[in-house]
């Protein structure tokens, strides 16, 4: 017989994986919610303490990547903190209005324009915009890998072990 709590937890964990590619859905937070939901439903026995610690660390890393990877990439490309902040706000607004493409184009365009107005260097502005956009794309790929790892690790810790 299938445990209803396990099915619910796996559904939330799958939502976490999907949340990494769906705008405005916190994939890392959903993954942690799925793990801790099952831990609570199991009477705090499964997954065990080591597995729970590892899954929690992976979930926190996922949240960090989700929140800060784009900013870190923009800074690595030479963008200022002001540019990064403005681009984040514009990107979020455009993502809500137009979806993921709005985020990418809005982020690229905002970083490019603000950096060009700030430093007046076309090459540096382009570099900063490319870094920021590549950072968003790379962070999505990293988030998918991390949330799939959390799901697989959870299944191994709960079903196999």
């Amino acid at each position: 017989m299938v445990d209803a709590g396990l099915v619910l937890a796996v559904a939330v964990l799958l939502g976490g994986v999907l949340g990494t590619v769906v705008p405005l859905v916190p994939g890392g937070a959903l993954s942690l919610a799925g793990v801790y939901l099952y831990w609570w439903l199991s009477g705090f026995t499964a997954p065990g303490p080591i597995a729970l610690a590892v899954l929690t660390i992976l979930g926190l890393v996922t949240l960090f990547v989700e929140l800060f990877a784009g900013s870190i990439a923009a800074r690595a490309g030479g963008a200022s903190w002001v540019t990064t902040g403005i681009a984040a706000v514009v990107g979020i607004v455009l993502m809500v209005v137009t979806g993921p493409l709005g985020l990418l184009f809005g982020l690229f365009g905002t970083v490019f324009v603000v950096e060009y107005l700030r430093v007046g260097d076309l090459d540096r502005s382009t570099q900063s915009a490319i870094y920021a956009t590549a950072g968003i794309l790379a962070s999505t790929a990293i988030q998918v890998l991390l949330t799939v790892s959390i799901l697989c690790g959870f299944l191994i810790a709960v079903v196999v072990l």
Side-chain angles (χ1 to χ4, degrees), residues 14-159:
L14 285 171
V17 174
L18 292 174
T20 60
V21 294
V22 174
L24 301 177
V25 178
L30 277 175
S31 292
L32 282 173
V35 169
Y36 279 91
L37 172 67
Y38 189 77
W39 186 60
W40 176 68
L41 290 174
S42 73
F44 308 106
T45 59
I50 294 172
L52 185 65
V54 170
L55 295 171
T56 300
I57 290 169
L58 287 173
L60 293 174
V61 169
T62 304
L63 286 170
F64 179 82
V65 168
E66 186 174 349
L67 296 172
F68 299 111
S71 299
I72 292 169
R75 290 288 298 153
S80 70
W81 285 114
V82 171
T83 301
T84 303
I86 293 169
V89 170
V90 170
I92 290 169
V93 169
L94 287 176
M95 181 173 55
V96 171
V97 175
T98 62
L101 289 178
L103 168 67
L104 291 176
F105 289 118
L107 181 71
F108 183 90
T110 302
V111 170
F112 177 79
V113 168
V114 173
E115 279 300 295
Y116 186 75
L117 292 173
R118 189 175 76 87
V119 295
D121 184 354
L122 185 63
D123 290 335
R124 183 170 172 188
S125 301
T126 303
Q127 176 185 341
S128 295
I130 289 170
Y131 269 67
T133 306
I136 289 292
L137 294 172
S139 78
T140 300
I142 292 167
Q143 290 173 62
V144 169
L145 291 172
L146 286 169
T147 54
V148 167
S149 297
I150 293 168
L151 174 61
C152 292
F154 173 82
L155 290 172
I156 289 169
V158 170
V159 176

